[in-house]
Amino acid sequence: MKLRLLRNATLKLEVLSKSILIDPFLAPKGSRPSFTGRAPNPLVELPTSPEEILEGVELVVVSHLHADHFDPVAQSLVPKHLPLICQPGDEDKIRSYGFRDVTPLADAIDWQGIRFERREGSHGLGPVVEKMGSVMGFSITAKDEPSVYWAGDTVLYPAIEATIAKAKPEIIIIHPCGARWDGDLITMDAAEAVATCRLAPASIIVATHMDSLDHATISRDELRRYATERGVSPQRLLIPRDGETLQLTARPV
């Protein structure tokens, strides 16, 4: 399996030689509104062109409809014939953009030998969840590939802990940028990233969704420093840079 971080939550996964694009956010630097008044978003350019990102893509997954996960540029450029998986409730909106093959992930979907299972998530806790709306995570499993749990835009709370305990994923992808909305934490932060590492001592944790948006409060460098000070090694917690590709392998049986 290959995982390439493009920017923010946007990933290109190669599973069973199939190319899967997750949460495409293709807007040019500074072309979207600021969340906090600090700077227009995104804070950085993509590491390559949208055309190169879309080359070879065979499936698209959209976890939720926030603009930093499926923006108007992506809605325009992603080919409308591609199969697209989304959370239940978003399918009609996505079809209104012209996409013709949209399937909500209510429970599990098998595609080309790859199994997707929906996982719970909470974009914050308390009243802020009503402002953020629903989100989903998902698991990916395939023969001879490492099992992946993509947690998504969620804080660490009991449902995430239960998923890790039940699924025992080999790879866990988290968003520990410490994003805040009106002061409320709406994604994991550095402390929750380290807690995730401790909940899953046999897993590799991959931190994405960093250094891209102006409501984030934790940088890659700050996360690495915080984790190292608490005994989490760089081999356990991977923090890829934009454009970087990780080669991920299954644990020996």
Side-chain angles (χ1 to χ4, degrees):
M1 178 183 291
K2 291 181 181 178
L3 179 156
R4 187 184 186 197
L5 172 63
L6 280 311
R7 182 186 61 192
N8 203 50
T10 306
L11 301 178
K12 210 170 176 181
L13 280 184
E14 184 179 304
V15 184
L16 297 182
S17 300
K18 301 294 183 182
S19 181
I20 302 167
L21 183 64
I22 298 173
D23 280 9
F25 176 38
L26 305 181
K29 177 183 177 180
S31 64
R32 301 290 303 167
S34 168
F35 293 132
T36 65
R38 182 161 65 92
N41 289 303
L43 303 178
V44 294
E45 292 285 8
L46 288 164
T48 188
S49 69
E51 290 75 21
E52 195 272 337
I53 291 170
L54 293 170
E55 184 177 352
V57 169
E58 298 166 85
L59 174 72
V60 181
V61 181
V62 174
S63 66
H64 63 299
L65 293 179
H66 286 175
D68 62 311
H69 292 258
F70 195 39
D71 69 306
V73 177
Q75 294 159 19
S76 172
L77 292 182
V78 173
K80 302 300 185 290
H81 71 276
L82 288 176
L84 189 152
I85 294 173
C86 65
Q87 68 172 340
D90 287 349
E91 60 269 30
D92 289 344
K93 187 67 172 178
I94 292 172
R95 289 185 186 119
S96 77
Y97 302 143
F99 292 89
R100 302 188 291 274
D101 186 0
V102 182
T103 304
L105 182 57
D107 182 20
I109 293 172
D110 292 301
W111 176 84
Q112 301 288 322
I114 304 167
R115 186 170 182 82
F116 294 84
E117 294 183 69
R118 184 177 179 273
R119 302 299 186 184
E120 296 299 320
S122 188
H123 212 340
L125 294 173
V128 74
V129 174
E130 290 188 21
K131 299 176 185 177
M132 294 297 102
S134 63
V135 296
M136 74 168 183
F138 51 87
S139 294
I140 300 176
T141 51
K143 185 177 175 10
D144 298 324
E145 296 278 21
S147 56
V148 173
Y149 169 36
W150 189 92
D153 269 11
T154 185
V155 294
L156 183 61
Y157 74 119
I160 306 300
E161 298 172 7
T163 293
I164 292 171
K166 180 180 179 182
K168 296 181 172 57
E170 293 166 83
I171 310 295
I172 303 174
I173 302 169
I174 59 174
H175 296 170
C177 65
R180 291 185 176 272
W181 195 266
D182 294 336
D184 292 310
L185 188 69
I186 57 172
T187 67
M188 293 189 194
D189 59 9
E192 294 188 352
V194 168
T196 301
C197 293
R198 291 174 176 160
L199 282 168
S203 304
I204 297 297
I205 314 300
V206 181
T208 67
H209 203 305
M210 306 192 76
D211 294 332
S212 301
L213 300 169
D214 76 331
H215 65 330
T217 61
I218 304 295
S219 70
R220 288 180 174 98
D221 291 344
E222 289 166 338
L223 175 61
R224 173 64 70 210
R225 183 166 56 251
Y226 183 94
T228 299
E229 288 171 351
R230 285 152 184 83
V232 178
S233 75
Q235 290 73 40
R236 288 271 343 275
L237 176 62
L238 307 182
I239 311 176
R241 298 284 169 179
D242 292 350
E244 185 176 350
T245 298
L246 305 178
Q247 183 76 52
L248 304 171
T249 57
R251 286 192 292 261
V253 177

